[in-house]
Amino acid sequence: MTIDDAPREALRGGPRELLRWVATGAAVSRADLSRLSGLSPSTVSQRVEALINQGLLEEAGAGRSRGGRRPRQLAVPTGGAVVGAIDLGAHHARIGTLDLSGRVVQGRTLPVRIEDGPEAVLGTLLAEVAALAAAPGDPTAAGTASSATGSTTADGAAGALRGVGIGIPGPVQHATGRVVSPSRMPGWNGFDVAAFCADRVDVPVIVDNDANLMALGAHRMAHPELDHAVYIKAGTGIGSGVISSGRLHRGAQGSAGDISHCRVVADPAPLCSCGNAGCLEAVASGAALVTALRDQGVSVSDLTGVLRLIDDGDRHATALARKAGRAIGEILAVVVNFFNPQVVAIGGRLADCEPLLASMRATLYERCLPLATQTLLIERVATSQDIGITGAAHLVIDHVVSAS
């Protein structure tokens, strides 16, 4: 059993949780970790020493005495090791380096053409990540975005690359790192992303679906205390990630949470990119809204244009957004009744579409059992261009910790 497969209860006080407590400031000493975990001081000390030997923790001087010897303070190194992250989209990719606490050190948004194929796209992005890891950040730009490049940086430190996490906008067989029958990704089917990247960087490469990485990043940033959650990514396409027992749940082959091809409309229904008709993605995605408006004679070129029409109160676009929200809500109602999560959060560009969100929320309350929605949080994923690379980084950090 790997650390990803272990139940949450069995992981209390495990290396990953010890690292998280130090990274979040909940603990600054071995005594704090012993108190939080309930483990004996000797067990905590052994696990901390292992993390220090791996370069995942460091001792940062002596803390305040509480009547005895001053405790040695613990910290996550911020000026050394970093992890690389790639959040790939159809037209843009967000790349970055993050420290071992999951904090963004540097980030950039780059234009891509997914149709150029995996070798060209991934080769370019890996080279960019390696360059970020090798170069110090710009301390004058901390926490800001450049209008020219979209770059951000948290400090000026460069560090040794410990791994790379990659999010793919299509189905991924997580165990192998292969892309499986993706929509709108010509030339990517069956491509072994993990093997291709491993030949180009001498560090572990972890590959997953982009919705899973959004879910992991959002969960770690907003609700790490919750055990069960569903995160929806609604943009040009639609996907979702599932958190179960505090861990990312992928299912047997890695397709857990793929709601995009659940059927919501009977015949006659729009044809989906998967070849079936009436799928959620064919009805409620950003691409579907663009197509539906064009069919009604409305001149719109992309999702940005759709959202602009909705903001301007266009009745056709607003009606379609509400219809899309109902469709998403109908599928999520089944998920909520079956899975009983504590939170349902929607991210992606459509999360800012108020008519869609209101319609989705109303449908959930209408279709779900009262017990399932009694304490259910329904909210937006915190807006952040770095949510995907944050999830990718945590994927790598978890792998590094579990291997320590």
Side-chain angles (χ1 to χ4, degrees), residues 10-175:
L11 291 169
R12 186 158 185 85
R16 180 188 298 169
E17 192 159 26
L18 298 183
L19 179 63
R20 180 173 64 83
W21 279 328
V22 175
T24 59
V28 296
S29 68
R30 290 169 173 80
D32 290 340
L33 292 174
S34 182
R35 173 177 51 81
L36 288 169
S37 66
L39 297 173
S40 69
S42 60
T43 299
V44 167
S45 184
Q46 289 175 355
R47 294 181 180 181
V48 166
E49 289 302 320
L51 290 170
I52 290 174
N53 291 336
Q54 288 290 318
L56 303 174
L57 283 180
E58 65 181 7
E59 292 182 333
R64 179 179 300 176
S65 173
R66 296 183 179 178
R69 187 173 58 183
R70 295 172 67 188
R72 288 173 293 174
Q73 286 189 305
L74 299 171
V76 174
T78 57
V82 295
V83 295
I86 298 172
D87 184 18
L88 179 62
H91 306 293
H92 297 87
R94 185 70 178 168
I95 67 169
T97 54
L98 298 89
D99 65 25
L100 296 177
S101 70
R103 182 181 63 109
V104 177
V105 177
Q106 294 193 81
R108 294 184 62 198
T109 298
L110 303 172
V112 299
R113 284 168 38 93
I114 203 76
E115 61 271 22
D116 286 345
E119 292 94 344
V121 171
L122 292 172
T124 298
L125 295 178
L126 284 171
E128 293 286 347
V129 168
L132 283 183
D138 176 8
T140 65
T144 64
S146 164
S147 59
T149 64
S151 65
T152 62
T153 177
D155 60 29
L161 194 63
R162 295 294 298 269
V164 179
I166 302 175
I168 302 292
V172 174
Q173 190 176 47
H174 177 71

Side-chain angles (χ1 to χ4, degrees), residues 83-87 163-167 204-208 213 388-389 391-393 395-396:
V83 295
I86 298 172
D87 184 18
V164 179
I166 302 175
V205 177
I206 315 296
V207 186
D208 212 328
L213 297 190
I389 62 170
L395 201 66
V396 176

Side-chain angles (χ1 to χ4, degrees), residues 353-365:
C353 180
E354 189 57 43
L356 182 147
L357 191 62
S359 183
M360 183 194 83
R361 186 189 302 267
T363 304
L364 273 172
Y365 281 120

